[in-house]
Amino acid sequence: MTHVENELSSQPECWIRAAEQAAAHGAALPAAGERVAIVGCGTSFFMAQAVAVLREQSGQGETDAFAASEFPEGRSYDRVVALTRSGTTTEVLELLGRLRGRTRTTAITADPHTPVMQAADDLIVLDFADERSVVQTRFATTALTLLRAHLGLHTDAVVADARTALAAPLPEGLVDCTQFTFLGRGWTVGLANEAGLKMREASLAWTEAYPAMEYRHGPISITTQGTATWMLGEAPDGLAEQVRATGGLWVDGGLDPLAELVRAQRLAVAVAAARGLDPDQPRHLTRSVILDAAAH
């Protein structure tokens, strides 16, 4: 079994621990009413997108999400939360350095022995969710679970759905598809983006992601026999029927959307295996992007 398979299979237990710890970390997390930005790179950026929507929809306050390299320097926030599994990503560390002394910062990381421990004002270490694989699975979803629990949006049903996602077989014919599209609405747009990234990283698959209502505005034109369209969350009325009419495979996300992401992670590993690829060694990727001064 690969590292990524072991790690994605441990997610229910990691989520339980994160939810239990959320109250203890409350002082380091955004308070209701604060104006907040959540930043990250790659997978962490997509988790930031999901959290930002969840926080605003729950009435906790205005919340934006940015790739760390695209943070708007002239904009004012009460707190910036940085998601960084490795604690060494150049763009995150540089942003935290620029914010020091003028904006309160919180870093959520997996490794307590990295530069981010000195770069942020407040720290949350989820070392039990750290990973050996380059491809992120459990750290990202565990950080998101911590933040969902902080917002009062995590329930035991999410963990139960994750266990179902790990145990139930993938839809018949899905692994054989040649193209995959993931759709989301609201906070699940970030999850759809992340599902697409997992497929590209682990299996080199042709994968796209969109807000579900945008799918009719062009992207559905690629849908045909041998393609799959996977909805994370509740689908817009009539969209499933439209996709099926093209001959494409429609995958209805009936579980909690975070559990659906676990299913997508499993699909990425399964497609990699079918293509003779090692998902622990994705092409051109490293566990953390560390740039020298000439590279940025």
Side-chain angles (χ1 to χ4, degrees):
M1 185 175 285
T2 62
H3 294 315
V4 70
E5 286 176 285
N6 278 325
E7 289 157 0
L8 72 85
S9 296
S10 70
Q11 286 175 107
E13 290 69 34
C14 288
W15 297 1
I16 291 170
R17 291 186 65 176
E20 290 173 346
Q21 294 181 11
H25 293 302
L29 293 171
E34 285 186 335
R35 189 166 189 255
V36 173
I38 307 174
V39 302
C41 298
T43 288
S44 293
F45 171 44
F46 296 142
M47 296 299 101
Q49 290 178 329
V51 174
V53 177
L54 282 173
R55 187 170 183 269
E56 284 211 359
Q57 287 182 340
S58 65
Q60 294 289 302
E62 184 176 344
T63 315
D64 296 320
F66 301 103
S69 58
E70 297 296 322
F71 184 81
E73 300 291 343
R75 197 172 295 182
S76 176
Y77 292 97
D78 298 310
R79 184 182 294 269
V80 173
V81 178
L83 306 180
T84 170
R85 175 182 66 171
S86 70
T88 59
T89 304
T90 298
E91 298 100 301
V92 171
L93 294 176
E94 290 186 347
L95 174 59
L96 292 174
R98 294 195 300 273
L99 294 173
R100 181 170 289 280
R102 61 185 180 94
T103 303
R104 192 79 184 173
T105 59
T106 296
I108 302 176
T109 188
D111 191 341
H113 306 292
T114 57
V116 79
M117 300 299 289
Q118 288 74 48
D121 297 312
D122 295 306
L123 297 156
I124 298 173
V125 179
L126 304 176
D127 51 356
F128 59 88
D130 203 357
E131 297 161 326
R132 295 181 64 183
S133 178
V134 170
V135 175
Q136 272 202 66
T137 54
R138 72 181 179 192
F139 174 75
T141 61
T142 300
L144 179 53
T145 297
L146 176 82
L147 291 159
R148 282 181 92 182
H150 174 67
L151 296 170
L153 301 175
H154 175 81
T155 68
D156 292 341
V158 179
V159 175
D161 277 2
R163 292 195 169 113
T164 299
L166 290 167
L170 293 171
E172 185 176 352
L174 184 59
V175 172
D176 298 324
C177 288
T178 58
Q179 189 276 341
F180 305 87
T181 299
F182 295 93
L183 304 178
R185 302 182 82 178
W187 74 282
T188 71
V189 172
L191 301 187
N193 287 333
E194 170 58 10
L197 180 63
K198 286 288 90 64
M199 293 294 296
R200 290 188 289 274
E201 288 177 332
S203 63
L204 307 182
W206 171 21
T207 316
E208 300 177 350
Y210 302 96
M213 291 295 289
E214 286 296 302
Y215 196 54
R216 297 180 176 99
H217 295 271
I220 197 171
S221 63
I222 65 168
T223 308
T224 187
Q225 252 185 336
T227 71
T229 304
W230 190 326
M231 183 71 214
L232 283 77
E234 185 177 353
D237 290 343
L239 185 57
E241 291 76 16
Q242 284 181 272
V243 170
R244 292 187 182 110
T246 70
L249 176 64
W250 172 263
V251 182
D252 191 20
L255 302 174
D256 180 89
L258 196 57
E260 286 295 323
L261 179 58
V262 174
R263 283 215 299 164
Q265 293 168 347
R266 288 183 56 213
L267 174 64
V269 172
V271 173
R275 297 180 179 185
L277 302 171
D278 181 355
D280 283 336
Q281 298 186 28
R283 189 170 66 182
H284 311 316
L285 298 178
T286 57
R287 188 173 185 274
S288 174
V289 176
I290 302 173
L291 305 174
D292 60 33
H296 62 293

